[in-house]
Amino acid sequence: MIHANSLTEVSPNRPTLLTIGSFDGVHLGHQHLLRSLVAEARAQNARAAVVTFFPHPSVVLRGRKSSFYINTADEQAALLAGLGLDLAVTHPFSLELSQIAAGEFVERLLAALNFTELWCGADFALGHNREGTVPWLTRYGEQHGYAVRVIEPKEVGGEIVSSSRVRRALAEGDVAQAAACLGRPYSLPGTVVEGVKRGRTLGFPTANLDFWDERACPARGVYACRARVNDEPMDAVTNIGVRPTFEDAALPTVEAHLPDFDGDLYGQTLRLDFIARLRAEQKFDDVDALLTQMRQDIANAREILKA
């Protein structure tokens, strides 16, 4: 797959089936649309392409920052490549871009991509003040040589899958629901940094994760995770919180205990796949009570991860 960072980096040398959107998370709804688009592109001997945006339009237009993104732009591109797309354009989004009229933006897309079909959901719109609704795009397409194909949304558990639903599930600590919507466990990568090293003194050393502060993070609590270091999977029990028993963290931290690992992880990239929430964050009366619960957390996590 070719990954471009602007429309100027691509050429209209091949008929294209195109879809446009933020695609944050590349969840099951996105996958349904993209797989269908790729299959049809293959049948037509056309190029399957997606135009997405970074920063996310909501971050630029509404100022959303804290715990927002489900993926980085590079992770998103890798997920799109895995679905068989031929081309992904991660277009810079800005206030200036949001002011462009729908007609002008569509003409830019036509000039760069030579698309013959535009695939989208029923509520899709583009251009200034969301002028380019599906009916508008359909009429415009009749005049400019492309068709609009509307794809029905995907449902899981009787509710439409969306990036907002994934973010909401993570904010509630419901990593199982997030995984059901994503079609895979929610993943949080970061660099292992030094912490206060209290876990080591208690016999439960932890890897403290430094991660992108604009990335969505599950709610405070204890989770069963699959950790990956250099693609090597291992069990992990992850605590997200402020360590209320010791009251020494002003902001929530992410700490992973890897029961089967004995080594130095400082400076390495650790990826945590969140499988299940074991319990909410809680304050214990003393260290012994905390240690007893930690042993139980590890046992519970091993059972879940074994299954």
Side-chain angles (χ1 to χ4, degrees), residues 25-307:
V26 193
H27 55 59
L28 288 179
H30 297 146
Q31 294 171 39
H32 170 61
L33 185 156
L34 293 167
R35 286 196 175 100
S36 299
L37 181 147
V38 168
E40 183 62 24
R42 297 290 178 270
Q44 296 186 25
N45 193 29
R47 178 171 58 178
V50 57
V51 170
T52 185
F53 303 97
F54 188 85
H56 193 290
S58 288
V59 172
V60 174
L61 300 176
R62 303 189 186 110
R64 293 177 177 172
K65 290 184 179 179
S66 178
S67 300
F68 183 80
Y69 289 98
I70 301 170
N71 298 126
T72 65
D74 287 341
E75 288 170 342
Q76 183 186 71
L79 289 166
L80 294 173
L83 293 171
L85 274 294
D86 299 305
L87 170 67
V89 180
T90 303
H91 198 293
F93 191 87
S94 62
L95 288 174
E96 291 75 17
L97 186 69
S98 72
Q99 299 298 312
I100 296 175
E104 180 181 345
F105 191 62
V106 169
E107 288 173 10
R108 291 186 187 184
L109 293 168
L110 284 166
L113 297 168
N114 184 29
F115 69 92
T116 58
E117 293 185 13
L118 176 61
W119 290 48
C120 60
D123 60 349
F124 176 76
L126 57 71
H128 183 54
N129 290 331
R130 294 177 59 84
E131 171 194 11
T133 61
V134 169
W136 185 97
L137 289 165
T138 301
R139 293 192 301 269
Y140 202 79
E142 292 170 352
Q143 301 168 11
H144 292 80
Y146 69 86
V148 175
R149 189 178 300 207
V150 176
I151 302 300
E152 293 299 314
K154 184 79 172 177
E155 291 189 359
V156 169
E159 185 181 348
I160 292 174
V161 177
S162 67
S163 300
S164 296
R165 181 179 172 188
V166 174
R167 294 188 193 98
R168 186 167 61 249
L170 292 173
E172 295 170 354
D174 192 348
V175 294
Q177 183 184 168
C181 292
L182 291 170
R184 64 185 184 279
Y186 178 68
S187 184
L188 182 66
T191 302
V192 179
V193 297
E194 288 196 16
V196 297
K197 300 183 179 180
R198 180 174 285 111
R200 188 173 299 278
T201 65
L202 297 175
F204 296 93
T206 60
N208 291 261
L209 214 61
D210 180 31
F211 59 95
W212 185 30
D213 61 3
E214 291 188 39
R215 193 185 188 103
C217 184
R220 295 181 186 180
V222 180
Y223 298 85
C225 293
R226 187 75 70 199
R228 296 184 183 274
V229 182
N230 298 322
D231 289 330
E232 182 71 24
M234 59 192 78
D235 294 351
V237 180
T238 301
N239 181 78
I240 300 177
V242 295
R243 298 188 290 263
T245 301
F246 302 101
E247 298 180 344
D248 61 2
L251 296 172
T253 60
V254 177
E255 303 173 86
H257 172 61
L258 284 55
D260 303 319
F261 181 82
D262 183 17
D264 185 359
L265 289 174
Y266 291 134
Q268 296 192 53
T269 297
L270 177 68
R271 180 177 295 273
L272 297 173
D273 293 342
F274 286 79
I275 308 301
R277 192 184 199 207
L278 300 176
R279 60 178 175 85
E281 181 180 47
Q282 62 187 104
K283 183 175 181 178
F284 295 90
D285 293 333
D286 52 47
V287 173
D288 287 340
L290 170 62
L291 293 176
T292 297
Q293 183 61 58
M294 291 172 69
R295 296 186 189 98
Q296 187 61 55
D297 291 338
I298 293 171
N300 291 344
R302 285 194 184 280
E303 285 300 311
I304 290 170
L305 296 170
K306 185 188 301 181

